[in-house]
Amino acid sequence: MAIEQTLVPAFVNFLYDGTELTIVDANISLCFTNGCSFEESMTEKGPKGYMLRKGTFVDQKGDIFVKISKSGDAEADKTITNLTNIAKNITKSEDPSDYAKSIVVNFSDPGEEKFFDVSFSGYLKNFNIAPNNSGNDFTAYIAEFKVFDPLTIKLS
């Protein structure tokens, strides 16, 4: 009989355009959607095919939200400063290459063995202070990353 296990990341390693961002106590939310409608139909050679329904389009989106606590850790503070600077500069840019940065998120278990990777071409859309609803004494920030090119999304 197989044993079911839930993998909870103990360590999250985040790379933004080759720069490692140290995130302590990260809360990460990943959402990738591929909304579209297909119809089953016969192809000209006989076998069944699935064609995109007429009048619809493929809506591909990807969002990653990372909650970062300002806990006094020097590396986390450096990450917050880096993300603040990136967020300020991205809104001023009209260069498409600024919106197509390589982003990689690695999840590791308590033994620091990687068990899941997400990579895509995207950018930091927002970086704001999170509302403090939990009564926690630490200031928290929410970083919102957007997928620039859905064809680059790789889950491994």
Side-chain angles (χ1 to χ4, degrees):
M1 182 168 138
I3 298 173
E4 279 190 38
Q5 295 182 352
T6 302
L7 293 172
V8 178
F11 299 100
V12 178
N13 182 350
F14 210 93
L15 294 171
Y16 185 88
D17 197 29
T19 302
E20 185 173 354
L21 303 175
T22 302
I23 300 172
V24 180
D25 298 329
N27 293 321
I28 294 186
S29 168
L30 303 171
C31 175
F32 298 107
T33 59
N34 185 20
C36 52
S37 299
F38 290 93
E39 289 183 353
E40 184 178 318
S41 62
M42 296 294 284
T43 63
E44 62 185 31
K45 294 185 180 175
K48 288 183 189 175
Y50 295 90
M51 307 301 172
L52 189 61
R53 186 167 290 157
K54 190 173 181 178
T56 62
F57 59 93
V58 178
D59 181 24
Q60 296 176 310
K61 291 190 265 184
D63 299 307
I64 293 185
F65 292 91
V66 182
K67 185 175 181 181
I68 306 164
S69 296
K70 185 174 176 67
S71 59
D73 179 73
E75 289 296 317
D77 287 348
K78 183 179 169 186
T79 293
I80 289 169
T81 302
N82 284 343
L83 289 173
T84 302
N85 292 334
I86 291 169
K88 281 182 194 172
N89 293 331
I90 197 75
T91 57
K92 300 173 189 173
S93 179
E94 294 179 12
D95 183 0
S97 66
D98 288 337
Y99 294 90
K101 301 296 184 185
S102 172
I103 299 174
V104 180
V105 185
N106 298 313
F107 298 92
S108 304
D109 64 16
E112 296 190 40
E113 185 174 326
K114 292 179 187 172
F115 64 84
F116 183 60
D117 296 329
V118 179
S119 65
F120 60 93
S121 176
Y123 62 97
L124 177 64
K125 181 180 178 187
N126 289 314
F127 188 64
N128 299 310
I129 294 178
N132 189 356
N133 298 334
S134 63
N136 191 349
D137 292 336
F138 295 123
T139 302
Y141 294 84
I142 300 285
E144 179 184 0
F145 295 90
K146 295 296 269 183
V147 174
F148 181 75
D149 181 3
L151 297 176
T152 63
I153 297 171
K154 290 188 176 58
L155 308 174
S156 57

